[in-house]
Amino acid sequence: MTTESSAIFLSENVFELNRGSVFLSSLGLDERESIITESSRVRVKKGQSVFHQGETHHGIWIIESGRVRTYYAGPSGKEITLAYWSAGHFVGGPEVFGQGRHVWSANTVDDCELLFIGGDVLRGLVLKHPALAVALIEGLVSKGKAYSALIQMLGTRSVSERLQQLLLILVDNHSTQCDSGLVIARTMT
């Protein structure tokens, strides 16, 4: 079964991959309209940066189309992919109100259309629309679980066990049946 809109991260609970992907759809029409009106629509070409580790937070980006990879770069330059986020998810946390510095980076895996909401604007919208506050908290909870699952997998599973789990996730969410078996229709680093 191919699910183009599915996020990808290491997790033992495959069913949690898309929790948080309904960020805007869980809101009423008025709240969605307020967010869209107060946002900037940004088109980012495949392979380009959304934000860099160490830069000041300015807000969040809601993915309308395409996929965004979040990753951490160590002092040696070695990178670890944290997750691949798909349409409906947001990136740019955990400092959603534009404070502090980014603790990881994000770049596009596909051509993307993103909605950027500045931190001050987002804070004002949250105060005006409590449903947005709940949606934002739920999105942050899903991201916290995703990154916690990654840490748990890195700390308790061997490389081959992690690869096995990743392949199961890809087969369950991003494969199609062909004459010779299943074909995984996603690329990643």
Side-chain angles (χ1 to χ4, degrees), residues 69-133:
R69 172 184 171 244
T70 53
Y71 63 96
Y72 174 80
S76 68
K78 183 178 177 181
E79 294 179 359
I80 180 171
T81 296
L82 303 173
Y84 290 88
W85 301 107
S86 53
H89 289 278
F90 68 87
V91 295
E95 298 280 357
V96 296
F97 296 131
Q99 304 164 3
R101 301 212 172 267
H102 286 284
V103 292
W104 51 75
S105 299
N107 65 359
T108 56
V109 177
D110 307 308
D111 289 345
C112 290
E113 194 161 304
L114 311 171
L115 285 177
F116 174 75
I117 307 171
D120 290 339
V121 171
L122 184 58
R123 182 183 294 276
L125 288 170
V126 161
L127 292 171
K128 186 177 176 181
H129 301 289
L132 175 57

Side-chain angles (χ1 to χ4, degrees), residues 7-73:
I8 299 174
F9 53 86
L10 277 178
S11 175
E12 297 201 38
N13 299 315
V14 175
F15 63 88
E16 290 194 348
L17 292 178
N18 288 307
R19 293 199 58 164
S21 69
V22 292
F23 179 67
L24 288 182
S25 63
S26 67
L27 302 176
L29 185 58
D30 290 342
E31 289 95 354
R32 281 194 303 251
E33 296 265 338
S34 291
I35 291 170
I36 292 168
T37 300
E38 296 290 334
S39 299
S40 301
R41 183 161 273 115
V42 181
R43 288 187 171 84
V44 184
K45 294 283 186 194
K46 178 181 179 176
Q48 291 185 332
S49 175
V50 179
F51 56 85
H52 290 285
Q53 184 175 319
E55 290 179 342
T56 302
H57 273 275
H58 295 290
I60 64 170
W61 291 261
I62 299 171
I63 305 166
E64 290 194 299
S65 65
R67 293 175 291 150
V68 174
R69 172 184 171 244
T70 53
Y71 63 96
Y72 174 80

